[in-house]
């Protein structure tokens, strides 16, 4: 014991020398956190900063260039225990964490980024009714793991989307017409709370409720267990291209179809966009039919008779359907911002015309808005009719629903007025929609400063009470903040 006063200064000097290695980290709190985790025998993950070159920078490419804040340090945990240590350490030092699963949405920070890429668990229950997934893998990885199975999960429609963010914010899959949202299928999740506790949502009904659309407000999902569904043996899908000037006409035809269609084997997306390389405006329609080409052609005969300029429809596996939109998806490194309007009925010509007018006025005002995309997705009639909104964070019960996505794309990060433009588009659609609007879709909440009431409607007060219980200091800010 008499030696203790002499040993402690030596240990402090050694710790100081170790921290000099991380001298590129300017924020002393962040440096202290990194040093503490590096010195800990319990933290098994990676700790990266700018000095690590490509290993560091490769983890920080944002999807939207306006989110291109460079973190001071990236923590790459290997387990829920690593995540718990990182969360507890950051919380104690008054730091926030940017949680990155696939990195498609708001996951950048100037402080500490928590990259979940090593959390890639995959296991199937003995009765094959459930699959447990790590949040850090993409849907392409999951689909390939499940390629030889006769069942699947309600995964993403773009293969490079990460599992964690997708299921925690709603989750629109190609099977939504038969089985609902990806978040509806959550059975359980392992979650690290703000105080570092590792809990299971199945043991806390309120947390499970919150994870189904508002997960980023409550903790870090380190694994999620999803219900499985029979995998369609074949899908028929592709792209149909029509002239840009026929957008409202096509919207009207799709309105007439989806107003009565109750066959969950069918789905449809359509939009107005100007894709690369020539950026010429087109009307794009993506029908989906789970069955043979002959069946699909019969079901969508009304659409094919409208005379598309380009017809790329073909049969494919469910796994390949999950990659269909990858080539047309937005590459990382451009200004990319989403906003949605969700209407509680099938979108009609009036709604489509209002959205198209908004798009045209933007481009006329500033040609850099030329990459603006309108994306309409009307769902099968009654697919959400039996949803109990008291069991899911995002209320989506209704006979009809159409998610209308507004996306601004531009290679110029200096393009001003994007948030204002998107919110103006949403308000115009709300004014044009005959039956008003549903709460907006959380997974497309790309703007900062969003109001929780606009996304969670009547559920917002319940969510805030759960937030107060599980995260009273508001450590997790959430994609759509509750506090």
């Amino acid at each position: 014991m008499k030696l203790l006063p002499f040993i402690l200064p030596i240990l402090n000097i050694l710790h100081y020398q170790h921290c000099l290695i991380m001298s590129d980290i300017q924020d002393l709190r962040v440096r202290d956190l990194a040093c503490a985790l590096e010195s800990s025998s319990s933290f098994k993950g990676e700790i990266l900063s700018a000095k690590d070159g490509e290993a560091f920078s490769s983890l920080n490419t944002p999807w939207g260039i306006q989110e291109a804040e460079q973190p001071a340090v990236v923590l790459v945990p290997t387990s829920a225990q690593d995540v718990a240590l990182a969360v507890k350490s950051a919380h104690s030092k008054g730091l926030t964490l940017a949680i990155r699963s696939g990195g498609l949405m708001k996951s950048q920070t100037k402080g500490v980024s928590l990259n979940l890429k090593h959390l890639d668990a995959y296991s199937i229950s003995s009765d094959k009714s459930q699959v447990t997934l790590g949040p850090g893998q993409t849907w392409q990885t999951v689909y390939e793991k499940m390629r030889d199975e006769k069942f699947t999960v309600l995964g993403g429609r773009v293969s490079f989307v990460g599992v964690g963010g997708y299921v925690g914010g709603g989750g629109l899959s190609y099977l939504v017409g038969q089985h609902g949202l990806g978040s509806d299928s959550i059975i359980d999740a392992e979650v690290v709370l703000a105080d570092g506790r590792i809990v299971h949502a199945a043991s806390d009904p309120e947390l499970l409720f919150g994870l189904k659309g508002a997960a980023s407000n409550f903790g870090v999902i380190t694994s999620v267990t999803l219900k499985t569904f029979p995998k369609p043996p074949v899908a028929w899908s592709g792209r149909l291209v029509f002239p840009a000037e026929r957008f409202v006409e096509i919207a009207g035809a799709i309105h007439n179809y989806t107003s009565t269609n109750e066959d969950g084997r069918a789905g449809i997306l359509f939009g107005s966009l100007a894709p690369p390389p020539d950026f010429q405006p087109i009307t794009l329609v993506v029908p989906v039919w789970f069955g043979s080409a002959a069946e699909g052609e019969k079901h969508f005969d009304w659409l094919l008779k409208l005379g598309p300029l380009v017809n790329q429809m073909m049969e494919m596996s469910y796994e390949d359907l999950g990659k269909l939109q990858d080539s047309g998806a937005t590459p990382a490194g451009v200004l990319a911002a989403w906003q949605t309007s969700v209407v509680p009925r099938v979108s009609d010509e009036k709604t489509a015309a209002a959205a198209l007018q908004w798009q045209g006025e933007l481009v006329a005002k500033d040609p850099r808005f030329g990459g603006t995309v309108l994306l309409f997705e009307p769902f099968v009639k009654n697919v959400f009719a039996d949803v109990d909104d008291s069991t899911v964070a995002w209320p989506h019960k209704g006979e009809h629903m159409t998610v209308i996505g507004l996306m601004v794309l531009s290679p110029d990060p200096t393009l001003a007025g994007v948030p204002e433009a998107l919110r103006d588009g949403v308000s115009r659609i709300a004014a044009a929609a005959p039956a008003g609007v549903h709460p907006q879709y959380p997974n497309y909440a790309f703007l900062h400063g969003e109001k929780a009431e606009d996304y969670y409607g009547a559920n917002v007060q319940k969510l805030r009470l759960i937030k107060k219980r599980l995260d009273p200091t508001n450590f997790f800010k959430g994609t759509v903040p509750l506090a």
Side-chain angles (χ1 to χ4, degrees):
M1 295 296 293
K2 292 182 179 179
L3 293 176
L4 191 58
F6 300 99
I7 294 174
L8 286 177
I10 296 173
L11 293 176
N12 287 335
I13 291 171
L14 291 175
H15 178 69
Y16 175 75
Q17 288 178 333
H18 170 75
C19 285
L20 285 178
I21 301 173
M22 299 183 177
S23 59
D24 59 312
I25 303 175
Q26 300 302 313
D27 188 317
L28 295 181
R29 293 179 304 162
V30 175
R31 188 190 304 182
D32 191 37
L33 176 143
C35 288
L37 291 176
E38 183 74 24
S39 303
S40 170
S41 60
S42 300
F43 187 80
K44 308 299 183 184
E46 299 174 81
I47 303 170
L48 303 172
S49 61
K51 67 178 176 55
D52 295 296
E54 177 63 20
F56 171 76
S57 60
S58 64
L59 300 180
N60 296 312
T61 301
W63 184 61
I65 199 169
Q66 75 277 18
E67 300 292 325
E69 293 180 317
Q70 187 84 325
V73 66
V74 176
L75 306 178
V76 191
T78 60
S79 65
Q81 289 71 30
D82 278 353
V83 173
L85 281 170
V87 168
K88 197 170 184 178
S89 297
H91 196 185
S92 69
K93 299 181 188 303
L95 296 167
T96 57
L97 293 176
I99 315 301
R100 188 179 178 105
S101 175
L104 197 57
M105 289 302 188
K106 294 186 293 188
S107 56
Q108 297 299 107
T109 178
K110 292 181 180 179
V112 183
S113 174
L114 191 67
N115 191 299
L116 305 180
K117 69 171 187 172
H118 290 327
L119 301 187
D120 57 356
Y122 174 78
S123 64
I124 303 169
S125 64
S126 58
D127 63 358
K128 301 187 184 299
S129 66
Q130 304 174 15
V131 171
T132 298
L133 303 173
Q137 55 199 322
T138 65
W139 285 108
Q140 179 177 5
T141 303
V142 174
Y143 289 148
E144 288 306 317
K145 289 177 179 178
M146 302 187 75
R147 184 176 284 274
D148 295 331
E149 305 292 350
K150 293 183 179 180
F151 55 87
T152 190
V153 290
L154 306 182
R157 296 174 306 193
V158 178
S159 72
F160 54 77
V161 169
V163 168
Y166 168 88
V167 297
L172 297 175
S173 82
Y174 281 116
L175 291 172
V176 66
Q178 298 179 60
H179 306 300
L181 299 178
S183 60
D184 294 342
S185 71
I186 298 176
I187 296 170
D188 191 13
E190 182 182 68
V191 182
V192 175
L193 301 180
D195 59 7
R197 284 182 295 147
I198 302 172
V199 301
H200 280 269
S203 300
D204 186 338
E206 287 189 336
L207 175 58
L208 186 61
F209 161 81
L211 295 184
K212 295 182 177 184
S216 59
N217 278 281
F218 299 105
V220 182
I221 294 176
T222 51
S223 71
V224 61
T225 300
L226 304 175
K227 182 180 179 181
T228 62
F229 299 91
K231 183 194 297 182
V234 65
W236 177 77
S237 188
R239 299 183 184 91
L240 300 176
V241 178
F242 295 87
E245 58 269 20
R246 296 186 66 186
F247 177 73
V248 174
E249 173 200 348
I250 299 298
I254 293 174
H255 167 266
N256 295 335
Y257 160 73
T258 52
S259 294
T260 57
N261 176 55
E262 296 186 46
D263 194 331
R265 293 174 295 174
I268 195 165
L269 307 168
F270 69 101
S272 170
L273 64 157
D278 55 3
F279 298 98
Q280 293 301 308
I282 61 170
T283 297
L284 178 67
V285 183
V286 181
V288 179
W289 174 260
F290 288 109
S292 69
E295 294 171 334
E297 288 169 358
K298 181 178 180 180
H299 184 84
F300 285 105
D301 177 65
W302 60 272
L303 179 60
L304 298 175
K305 284 181 176 177
L306 294 176
L309 300 174
V310 177
N311 183 337
Q312 298 176 334
M313 301 297 293
M314 67 184 76
E315 286 188 359
M316 62 191 72
S317 68
Y318 181 72
E319 291 76 19
D320 291 337
L321 176 64
K323 297 185 286 187
L324 177 66
Q325 304 304 326
D326 287 7
S327 62
T330 309
V334 300
L335 187 151
W338 272 100
Q339 186 70 302
T340 59
S341 184
V342 184
V343 297
R345 59 164 293 163
V346 179
S347 58
D348 57 10
E349 295 97 325
K350 182 181 178 182
T351 309
L356 190 66
Q357 181 178 359
W358 167 81
Q359 182 188 43
E361 289 177 4
L362 271 185
V363 178
K365 181 180 178 181
D366 189 333
R368 291 178 296 171
F369 279 104
T372 300
V373 175
L374 302 177
L375 181 63
F376 284 61
E377 181 169 10
F379 296 113
V380 173
K381 184 179 180 181
N382 290 324
V383 66
F384 298 126
D386 297 326
V387 170
D388 182 354
D389 280 343
S390 69
T391 65
V392 291
W394 182 53
H396 53 280
K397 180 181 177 65
E399 178 185 14
H400 285 296
M401 183 186 296
T402 302
V403 173
I404 305 173
L406 313 178
M407 182 192 288
V408 171
L409 304 176
S410 173
D412 185 353
T414 66
L415 179 60
V418 172
E420 295 80 5
L422 288 171
R423 291 185 174 116
D424 176 54
V426 167
S427 65
R428 290 200 196 188
I429 290 170
V437 292
H438 264 303
Q440 295 179 52
Y441 178 53
N443 257 352
Y444 291 167
F446 204 100
L447 302 182
H448 295 275
E450 295 292 78
K451 296 179 180 179
E453 289 83 358
D454 293 339
Y455 286 81
Y456 301 117
N459 284 344
V460 73
Q461 292 306 320
K462 179 179 178 181
L463 287 166
R464 281 175 172 152
L465 288 174
I466 301 169
K467 173 76 169 176
K468 187 175 182 180
R469 175 172 68 86
L470 297 176
D471 184 14
T473 63
N474 193 32
F475 177 70
F476 295 108
K477 307 306 181 187
T479 305
V480 180
L482 290 169

